[in-house]
Amino acid sequence: MTQQRGSGFVALLTAVNCFFAFPSAAAMDIPLEVLTHANIEQLPTITAQSPGAVIALPPEESFAVTCEAKGNPEPEFRWTKNGQEFDPSLDPLLRKEENSGTFVIPNNGNLTEYQGTYRCFAFNKLGTAVSQEIGFMVPKIPKFPKEGFDPFKVDEGQPFILKCDPPKGIPPLQIYWMTMYLQHIEQDDRVSMGLNGDLYFSHVEEKDSRRDYCCFAAFPKIRTIVQKSAMSVVVSPTNSILQRKPSLLTPPGVRSEAVLVKGEDLKLECIAEGIPTPKVEWEKMGHGRPEKFRLENHGKVLVVPGDEQDVGGKYMCKAKNPLGEVVHYFTVTVEEPPEFLVEPQSQLSMIGADVVIKCSVSGSPQPVTTWSVNGVPLQETLSANRKIFDDTIIIQNGQPSDSAVYQCEASNKHGKILTNANIMIMNLYPIILTSDGQEYSAVEDQGVMMHCKVFSSPPSTIFWSKDDSSELVTGPRFTVHDNGSLEIHTIEKGDTGQYTCLAKNLEGTSAIDAMLYVKDPTKIVAPPQDQSILIGTDAQLSCLVEFDESFRGDFELLWQKDDEEISPNNTEHSRYFLEEGVLHIVNVSHRDQGEYRCVAKTPVDSDAASARLIVLDVPDAPQSVVLSERKNRSVKLRWVPGEDHNSSITEFVIEFEENKWQPGSWRDLQRVPGNHNSAVLDLHGHVGYRFRVYAVNAVGAGPPSKPTERYLTPPAAPDKNPENIKIEGHLPHEMDINWEPLSPIEHNGPGLEYKVSYRRQDVEDEWKEHTVKRHSFVVRNTPTFVPYEIKIQAKNHQGWGPEPKMVTGYSGEDFPSAAPDDVAVEVMNSSMVNVTWKQVPKDKLHGHLGGYRVNWWRMRSLLHSKQSQGERHTAAFPGSRSHGTVSGLVPFSEYSLIVMSFNGRGNGPGSKAVNFKTLEGVPEKIPVFRVADVQKRSISLAWTPPLEPNGILTGYLLEYQLINDTEEAGPLQRVNISKPDTTRWHLRDLEPLSKYRFQLRSCTSMGCGSIVSLESTTLETTSALASTIGLSMTSPTSPPSSPKSRVTKPTRSTIGLASVHTGISSQGWFIGLMSAIALLTLVVLIACFVNRNKGGKYSVKEKEDLHPDVESQGINDDTFCEYSDNDEKPLKGSQHSLSGGLKAEDSGDSLVDYGDDDAQFNEDGSFIGEYAAKKEKRASAEIKATAQTPA
């Protein structure tokens, strides 16, 4: 239809008319989609038909004979059968498809009446199209004739042929020779089946006698197998079988001819008889063997593929054995079915033009060609303007009435071909088949093709313009193709815009518009990289892409492996998944190796990048492991290396397994470099070996090869003697000889024994010999510790091993008989001494000197005069030595030690004891360090002396520091306590309601010991309760606590309430209560003062001052104590302050503080235990000396 345009279009049309030239009357193809754009009459065209043969196979329910066609008007159909008119609609058994030429033949058991050759004719008022011939075949079930066979009697050594003669049936035909039990007859060079199905025997043997030779013929297309009656062959044995030269069983004669249809495989067969069985060779005369060929049936059949060039020619087969040869020549002629060289084409021509229809055919024999018009032979139709020239028809000055369907059919004995050519003669205005308003996107610097497909008669001239301009699009970057498409090369940004396609011929004008957008190119900026990755691990291939933002919804990132697309994130390729442009390959295997291609696609362009993934793995097992060059005690092993999987083989490991001593166990025998594929193996005698090989590369060791056959070596004398001979003497007058026995595989034969030879070395002595089967021997009645020469030689039933090497050993040892002299001790420091001695003479050692042993024990501490035998300690000093260092001694102690020598038998006598004293050291850590009393500006501390002072105590070093919850701690204060018996100290002038850390160390003249530390907080005000507690600790009139007395011990929680929680102090009732408590406290203080003055008259006061009440003191010590025995804790930290409110579990009270496991409580919970004296000496001596230091 002609399109209406604006002024720009009119200007363009005017310009086109200036350049328009009428096209020549050339024919053109008819587009099939024209009918969708305009209601134009169309000749019928067959679109579907049945293949050349329809075979009625039994399982099918029905058989369709197909014929479909299209045209305008809709085609009608008619059929012929065997050249006669046939109307399927007249047969009630046939089912006719509506609006179709197809009819269906039901499988009702009576199919033979429909057997024949069918042809379909599709016609409308313009013409008739003809189908190929369609053959409907009803196969018969092939059967062997029922017949019985007498036994075939054949003399041994004679040739023989068992005939099959299969029945005819639908090809292909497959023939098998089997027994009645469906076991295949074994075939080889001597016995084989020919191409015709016969079974050929080059010469029979006695084992060929059997009664059930059966020939089976299989017809796969009809799913049928038939069996010939069993045949019996009886071979008569003979005493003398003469050899004879070959002769051919098939083909007969010297020459034969074969005809081959082009495209089929050539199969030539030569089966010969003779003794020995002949071998067959093949040759193409003048060419040797064909380039592509294969041999079948044990070399008796030559197969040349049908696609081989120049299959035809002369061939020769030659059958030969040592007595002679026989030849046969084949002349092969290749024929072919008809084939179109130039096939007639459907054409649309303008009125008045000449139409040329050409049909050129090849084939062998030369095909016969016939022409038809609308299904009628050409010679039966008359036309004045139609001329025939050999294979060409010319229609001169074609008119619409000359429109028709022309058929060209060619046939020879190998087949028949037919084609239809629709010749349409008409004039038609331009019909643009491309849609109007299409949008195109293109990438800068690339090309784009904008389509304008036109159908018209005569052909139209096409012009393109841009943005309603009257100027045509021209220039080196623009090309208008014959099909109307506009191609723009090397696109620029300015090419964006609207383009118009104008088509014009004699019948009219049509136009369409198209829009072009120029986009940014797609570019891979980070391509995937080549990788070598270990099998079983995960691989990652990244692909980072930049593309035009307008394509975000249409962008695709695809991955290909070896040019085949992979689909990540689906079940088929579950090991692949794509995440943010990265392809993950999970659990890499060998099949993952290859080239991976990342393809970034938009609707207008794409970019691609490739990377190679190499999978590393251990080598495959070597193949074809064989033995060669076999000798008595060696063999050569050869193999073919397996695939190295991208990592070069570094070595091959040869393993062996023997079947006598350790059957089934594979052991290493030899290693050879990775560039070798053979090795000579030295073997032991009397062993049945099997060998296998595995390869090693940088990844690891690969699997082993299949083992070789077993190789048995003959027995031989031993190759070696025992090694690792050991001479020991467990008793003074014996010598034990032990050795490492030969492994079973080293026996080299049965009857292994050992000859033990020995003699004294220090005197003239004869060799003494003993033969044993075990690997030890004891020489008795020897002198103590004298040297011997020993030899051990292996032998078996085959003879003696090599001359043995001589070794030297000693007879049994005895205890040393002398002690070291001149033992002296040099004190090095408080815990270590150096001991020296004079060595024991060699003749007193009576054996190999093992070394010297020092025994020592502590006798007493130098702080006490009482001696007590301490635990005995031992230190050994191996070898020939005269001194040693003893460490770990207790300082300021008296010790005693002795020295003795030892050998393999044991210790000798000890030396005289030597006493010595260690120097002073620093004291041990103070076991108990507590807060005894806490006030507003003072704290009292108490402790017990160290359990081990390691010297004479000179005093204590007390350090304390303010550690409130601030960034900086207060200055460190030091107090040197010079009185060693002091166990209590009172600190004054402290800050109220402040936290302090205290550290204490005890000292001797050698220095101070380890630190013990604690923390405590002063009170906000002087607490009456605290004062009461302090007084109860030091009161001289307070009687000693009874074990069963009730002790009330204030807790931190109680004190916290008294000293911190002041929020209720403004309440009236609380003020009255506190006034009463203050008055009561004053009365108590007065009473205590009176009692104290009275107590001074009694001697018990002095006793209590020296030994204060332990239980009461313990109570006060724990009241406000935060104890720590961490020596390294600095004088800066924070613990719960009394003013912060204390939890019950934060109380410093602990039952452990009051006694050991023997401590007891009454039923009411009161303490009745006493401190155990053994528990770190924390009994009543925890706090000694005065209660306070002088003010």
Side-chain angles (χ1 to χ4, degrees):
M1 171 184 340
T2 302
Q3 306 289 332
Q4 298 299 320
R5 301 291 172 182
S7 58
F9 175 76
V10 174
L12 173 63
L13 188 57
T14 304
V16 168
N17 286 331
C18 295
F19 298 101
F20 187 85
F22 291 104
S24 63
M28 63 176 292
D29 292 339
I30 302 174
L32 298 179
E33 63 268 30
V34 168
L35 293 178
T36 63
H37 290 76
N39 187 21
I40 301 173
E41 292 184 337
Q42 181 79 18
L43 289 162
T45 301
I46 291 180
T47 57
Q49 65 179 63
S50 295
V54 177
I55 301 175
L57 300 177
E60 302 295 335
E61 296 181 356
S62 60
F63 309 97
V65 183
T66 304
C67 182
E68 305 290 344
K70 67 178 182 178
N72 189 24
E74 282 289 329
E76 299 179 57
F77 300 89
R78 64 183 179 87
W79 287 88
T80 62
K81 176 183 177 184
N82 298 328
Q84 303 297 319
E85 289 294 327
F86 174 75
D87 189 351
S89 61
L90 299 179
D91 190 333
L93 296 179
L94 300 181
R95 188 172 71 248
K96 185 78 166 54
E97 298 285 344
E98 191 173 348
N99 298 324
S100 168
T102 301
F103 64 92
V104 179
I105 303 173
N107 190 356
N108 57 5
N110 188 24
L111 296 174
T112 54
E113 64 177 291
Y114 298 108
Q115 189 164 269
T117 302
Y118 294 83
R119 175 162 275 175
C120 172
F121 298 82
F123 61 94
N124 62 15
K125 67 179 184 177
L126 301 180
T128 302
V130 181
S131 74
Q132 300 271 11
E133 287 186 344
I134 303 170
F136 183 69
M137 304 172 59
V138 181
K140 295 181 179 179
I141 301 300
K143 294 181 181 179
F144 279 104
K146 292 185 178 180
E147 53 186 335
F149 298 98
D150 293 331
F152 296 97
K153 295 184 179 180
V154 189
D155 291 334
E156 185 178 7
Q158 294 302 309
F160 180 62
I161 302 174
L162 267 179
K163 294 287 186 179
C164 178
D165 296 327
K168 295 186 180 300
I170 301 295
L173 167 65
Q174 299 169 351
I175 299 177
Y176 307 93
W177 282 90
M178 293 189 288
T179 67
M180 292 295 293
Y181 299 102
L182 300 181
Q183 293 179 342
H184 286 275
I185 301 296
E186 185 177 352
Q187 299 185 31
D188 51 24
D189 291 344
R190 185 180 63 85
V191 181
S192 60
M193 183 181 71
L195 295 176
N196 62 355
D198 294 345
L199 190 63
Y200 292 84
F201 296 80
S202 175
H203 58 273
V204 296
E205 297 179 354
E206 192 171 354
K207 66 180 181 180
D208 297 325
S209 292
R210 63 182 316 123
R211 295 178 298 175
D212 57 350
Y213 283 95
C214 298
C215 179
F216 290 83
F219 300 90
K221 275 200 172 181
I222 60 174
R223 301 183 180 96
T224 300
I225 299 178
V226 293
Q227 174 189 346
K228 188 173 184 176
S229 300
M231 294 174 281
S232 176
V233 175
V234 179
V235 179
S236 302
T238 179
N239 293 330
S240 59
I241 300 176
L242 298 178
Q243 294 187 346
R244 61 178 180 273
K245 67 179 183 178
S247 64
L248 290 177
L249 296 175
T250 187
V254 178
R255 300 180 184 275
S256 61
E257 294 184 355
V259 176
L260 178 70
V261 178
K262 184 180 180 180
E264 296 179 356
D265 291 347
L266 171 65
K267 291 188 177 183
L268 301 177
E269 178 182 51
C270 279
I271 300 179
E273 63 90 8
I275 302 177
T277 302
K279 298 289 185 182
V280 178
E281 299 176 353
W282 291 91
E283 179 183 349
K284 185 175 183 182
M285 306 301 294
H287 297 81
R289 280 186 175 180
E291 289 185 11
K292 296 180 181 179
F293 76 96
R294 67 178 184 272
L295 297 178
E296 296 180 353
N297 198 11
H298 308 283
K300 301 171 188 178
V301 175
L302 173 70
V303 180
V304 182
D307 58 358
E308 176 78 1
Q309 298 295 326
D310 300 327
V311 178
K314 291 189 176 181
Y315 294 80
M316 179 189 73
C317 77
K318 180 188 295 183
K320 63 181 181 179
N321 67 9
L323 276 70
E325 61 184 39
V326 62
V327 297
H328 186 90
Y329 299 95
F330 298 87
T331 300
V332 177
T333 301
V334 179
E335 296 184 348
E336 56 183 309
E339 182 179 3
F340 286 113
L341 296 177
V342 179
E343 185 174 359
Q345 300 296 316
S346 295
Q347 302 175 42
L348 173 63
S349 294
M350 63 183 291
I351 298 173
D354 292 343
V355 180
V356 178
I357 311 170
K358 187 176 179 64
C359 180
S360 180
V361 183
S362 67
S364 179
Q366 180 62 38
V368 176
T369 304
T370 59
W371 287 94
S372 299
V373 179
N374 296 328
V376 179
L378 190 65
Q379 60 271 21
E380 297 181 12
T381 64
L382 299 177
S383 177
N385 61 343
R386 186 173 59 210
K387 306 295 183 184
I388 301 176
F389 301 94
D390 193 14
D391 58 358
T392 303
I393 295 177
I394 299 177
I395 303 174
Q396 297 173 334
N397 189 21
Q399 298 299 313
S401 59
D402 293 321
S403 297
V405 182
Y406 283 77
Q407 290 87 30
C408 177
E409 187 173 36
S411 63
N412 65 9
K413 66 179 181 179
H414 299 298
K416 182 182 292 187
I417 56 176
L418 179 143
T419 187
N420 291 275
N422 290 1
I423 306 302
M424 195 74 181
I425 301 174
M426 62 184 295
N427 285 358
L428 183 68
Y429 70 91
I431 298 176
I432 300 180
L433 304 178
T434 304
S435 301
D436 187 19
Q438 283 197 356
E439 294 184 350
Y440 296 88
S441 296
V443 175
E444 194 173 0
D445 294 330
Q446 295 188 10
V448 67
M449 187 82 72
M450 291 187 289
H451 302 292
C452 186
K453 188 175 182 180
V454 180
F455 174 73
S456 65
S457 180
S460 299
T461 303
I462 309 298
F463 300 94
W464 284 85
S465 66
K466 179 175 182 260
D467 295 333
D468 287 334
S469 172
S470 60
E471 296 183 3
L472 301 180
V473 174
T474 58
R477 295 192 302 113
F478 301 91
T479 302
V480 179
H481 293 276
D482 293 340
N483 63 358
S485 297
L486 172 64
E487 182 177 7
I488 306 177
H489 310 276
T490 317
I491 286 183
E492 301 172 354
K493 280 287 187 180
D495 293 332
T496 299
Q498 179 176 288
Y499 290 78
T500 301
C501 170
L502 176 66
K504 182 176 182 179
N505 70 358
L506 294 175
E507 301 295 323
T509 302
S510 296
I512 60 169
D513 290 331
M515 191 67 193
L516 175 63
Y517 299 96
V518 179
K519 305 287 186 178
D520 292 331
T522 302
K523 184 178 181 181
I524 295 176
V525 293
Q529 302 297 315
D530 293 345
Q531 294 186 34
S532 295
I533 193 164
L534 191 64
I535 191 170
T537 59
D538 296 346
Q540 296 181 359
L541 296 170
S542 63
C543 188
L544 184 61
V545 185
E546 293 179 352
F547 57 91
D548 194 286
E549 276 297 320
S550 63
F551 291 135
R552 179 157 298 277
D554 299 319
F555 173 75
E556 285 186 286
L557 183 63
L558 307 176
W559 284 90
Q560 298 173 345
K561 177 183 179 293
D562 298 330
D563 297 328
E564 291 187 7
E565 185 172 343
I566 57 177
S567 301
N569 307 333
N570 65 12
T571 55
E572 182 181 357
H573 300 91
S574 57
R575 295 183 306 105
Y576 297 97
F577 68 92
L578 192 61
E579 184 178 24
E580 296 182 356
V582 178
L583 177 67
H584 298 262
I585 308 175
V586 181
N587 191 20
V588 170
S589 63
H590 289 302
R591 66 177 181 270
D592 295 320
Q593 178 168 302
E595 183 172 294
Y596 286 80
R597 184 176 177 86
C598 164
V599 181
K601 294 177 63 176
T602 65
V604 297
D605 72 334
S606 65
D607 194 12
S610 298
R612 183 150 192 86
L613 182 66
I614 296 176
V615 179
L616 304 177
D617 194 5
V618 298
D620 285 344
Q623 304 294 321
S624 304
V625 182
V626 295
L627 299 174
S628 63
E629 301 180 18
R630 307 185 186 205
K631 300 178 182 178
N632 285 344
R633 298 286 301 284
S634 71
V635 69
K636 190 168 188 176
L637 189 68
R638 297 181 180 273
W639 60 88
V640 176
E643 172 63 44
D644 64 6
H645 294 302
N646 305 302
S647 179
S648 299
I649 296 174
T650 56
E651 67 173 352
F652 290 97
V653 180
I654 302 170
E655 296 181 309
F656 75 94
E657 179 263 350
E658 46 83 21
N659 59 354
K660 185 173 183 182
W661 307 106
Q662 290 181 282
S665 174
W666 289 91
R667 289 169 280 173
D668 287 358
L669 178 63
Q670 191 171 331
R671 294 174 181 263
V672 297
N675 58 353
H676 290 196
N677 63 349
S678 66
V680 176
L681 310 179
D682 294 326
L683 309 176
H684 294 287
H686 198 57
V687 177
Y689 283 97
R690 287 196 305 165
F691 305 98
R692 69 183 188 186
V693 186
Y694 67 86
V696 180
N697 63 9
V699 180
S705 66
K706 293 181 180 179
T708 64
E709 72 274 14
R710 199 166 293 282
Y711 178 60
L712 181 63
T713 57
D719 296 322
K720 58 184 291 189
N721 290 310
E723 298 175 345
N724 296 329
I725 300 173
K726 296 180 180 179
I727 295 95
E728 300 173 328
H730 299 291
L731 296 176
H733 301 292
E734 290 184 356
M735 181 172 61
D736 294 341
I737 306 173
N738 296 276
W739 58 90
E740 184 179 313
L742 299 184
S743 64
I745 200 172
E746 294 173 337
H747 290 187
N748 280 357
L752 182 74
E753 294 179 324
Y754 303 101
K755 182 175 73 172
V756 182
S757 304
Y758 60 92
R759 68 181 179 185
R760 283 187 61 173
Q761 188 184 50
D762 56 341
V763 297
E764 291 291 334
D765 195 9
E766 297 292 330
W767 287 99
K768 297 180 179 59
E769 298 178 350
H770 296 273
T771 301
V772 296
K773 293 184 178 179
R774 61 184 181 275
H775 53 90
S776 63
F777 182 74
V778 180
V779 181
R780 305 185 188 279
N781 300 321
T782 64
T784 300
F785 199 64
V786 295
Y788 277 84
E789 294 176 338
I790 297 99
K791 296 188 298 184
I792 301 178
Q793 187 176 18
K795 70 177 290 288
N796 62 16
H797 291 341
Q798 302 300 312
W800 292 96
E803 183 64 26
K805 295 180 180 179
M806 187 167 57
V807 297
T808 301
Y810 286 80
S811 58
E813 297 177 303
D814 204 350
F815 297 106
S817 59
D821 292 330
D822 301 336
V823 178
V825 177
E826 179 187 3
V827 178
M828 308 294 292
N829 55 39
S830 63
S831 61
M832 184 169 62
V833 297
N834 186 40
V835 184
T836 59
W837 59 85
K838 184 179 180 181
Q839 295 186 2
V840 176
K842 287 187 178 181
D843 60 338
K844 302 297 184 181
L845 291 174
H846 305 307
H848 295 288
L849 175 64
Y852 290 87
R853 188 168 280 120
V854 177
N855 294 346
W856 73 91
W857 58 95
R858 187 186 184 197
M859 301 185 64
R860 68 184 180 92
S861 169
L862 293 180
L863 293 174
H864 311 287
S865 58
K866 182 180 178 181
Q867 293 190 0
S868 62
Q869 183 74 23
E871 182 181 354
R872 185 177 292 265
H873 302 275
T874 299
F877 302 94
S880 178
R881 300 183 55 169
S882 59
H883 65 87
T885 300
V886 175
S887 60
L889 303 176
V890 178
F892 209 53
S893 301
E894 183 177 0
Y895 280 87
S896 183
L897 66 74
I898 61 173
V899 183
M900 63 190 72
S901 63
F902 64 91
N903 59 17
R905 179 78 168 146
N907 297 331
S911 66
K912 293 181 180 180
V914 176
N915 293 345
F916 62 93
K917 298 176 182 178
T918 55
L919 302 175
E920 278 191 274
V922 297
E924 289 186 353
K925 184 190 297 184
I926 294 172
V928 177
F929 182 38
R930 302 182 180 278
V931 173
D933 185 29
V934 179
Q935 295 296 329
K936 178 179 179 181
R937 302 183 67 87
S938 65
I939 291 179
S940 293
L941 305 173
W943 62 86
T944 59
L947 299 179
E948 285 289 351
N950 292 337
I952 299 173
L953 284 179
T954 61
Y956 297 89
L957 176 61
L958 175 62
E959 297 175 323
Y960 63 96
Q961 186 179 27
L962 179 66
I963 57 168
N964 277 342
D965 297 331
T966 59
E967 290 296 328
E968 297 183 1
L972 181 66
Q973 307 290 333
R974 288 187 175 84
V975 179
N976 287 313
I977 303 173
S978 59
K979 292 184 179 181
D981 56 349
T982 302
T983 59
R984 190 179 183 93
W985 199 264
H986 187 70
L987 296 172
R988 294 182 175 84
D989 299 328
L990 304 179
E991 294 292 331
L993 198 61
S994 299
K995 191 173 186 178
Y996 285 85
R997 167 168 289 174
F998 306 95
Q999 293 183 344
L1000 183 65
R1001 291 185 286 175
S1002 56
C1003 306
T1004 65
S1005 60
M1006 300 302 293
C1008 296
S1010 301
I1011 293 174
V1012 60
S1013 65
L1014 59 81
E1015 295 175 1
S1016 184
T1017 304
T1018 57
L1019 301 179
E1020 183 178 10
T1021 60
T1022 301
S1023 171
L1025 181 58
S1027 301
T1028 304
I1029 295 171
L1031 290 171
S1032 68
M1033 292 174 54
T1034 59
S1035 174
T1037 60
S1038 180
S1041 297
S1042 170
K1044 294 185 180 181
S1045 64
R1046 179 74 176 267
V1047 178
T1048 302
K1049 182 173 184 291
T1051 65
R1052 289 186 183 179
S1053 301
T1054 306
I1055 297 169
L1057 289 171
S1059 60
V1060 179
H1061 295 297
T1062 59
I1064 61 173
S1065 60
S1066 62
Q1067 303 295 325
W1069 64 268
F1070 180 76
I1071 295 173
L1073 177 62
M1074 293 306 296
S1075 299
I1077 292 174
L1079 180 61
L1080 179 62
T1081 302
L1082 180 60
V1083 174
V1084 172
L1085 288 174
I1086 295 172
C1088 290
F1089 181 78
V1090 173
N1091 287 336
R1092 183 175 181 181
N1093 289 337
K1094 290 181 179 181
K1097 300 177 181 180
Y1098 300 98
S1099 59
V1100 71
K1101 178 180 183 301
E1102 297 178 0
K1103 183 176 180 182
E1104 289 183 353
D1105 285 343
L1106 292 174
H1107 303 287
D1109 187 340
V1110 175
E1111 291 184 4
S1112 300
Q1113 183 150 341
I1115 293 171
N1116 290 304
D1117 286 348
D1118 276 348
T1119 302
F1120 298 101
C1121 175
E1122 295 183 10
Y1123 175 74
S1124 171
D1125 59 358
N1126 184 357
D1127 296 344
E1128 300 178 1
K1129 191 170 183 180
L1131 284 172
K1132 174 72 179 77
S1134 175
Q1135 303 239 354
H1136 294 293
S1137 170
L1138 290 175
S1139 63
L1142 300 176
K1143 299 179 182 178
E1145 59 267 31
D1146 290 335
S1147 171
D1149 300 332
S1150 172
L1151 297 181
V1152 180
D1153 295 336
Y1154 293 93
D1156 59 10
D1157 297 336
D1158 296 330
Q1160 301 177 15
F1161 289 80
N1162 284 333
E1163 293 178 358
D1164 61 355
S1166 60
F1167 179 72
I1168 63 172
E1170 295 181 350
Y1171 297 114
K1174 294 171 60 179
K1175 201 76 160 182
E1176 299 181 2
K1177 300 186 179 181
R1178 288 174 52 190
S1180 59
E1182 278 191 345
I1183 302 177
K1184 299 165 62 176
T1186 60
Q1188 286 188 339
T1189 59

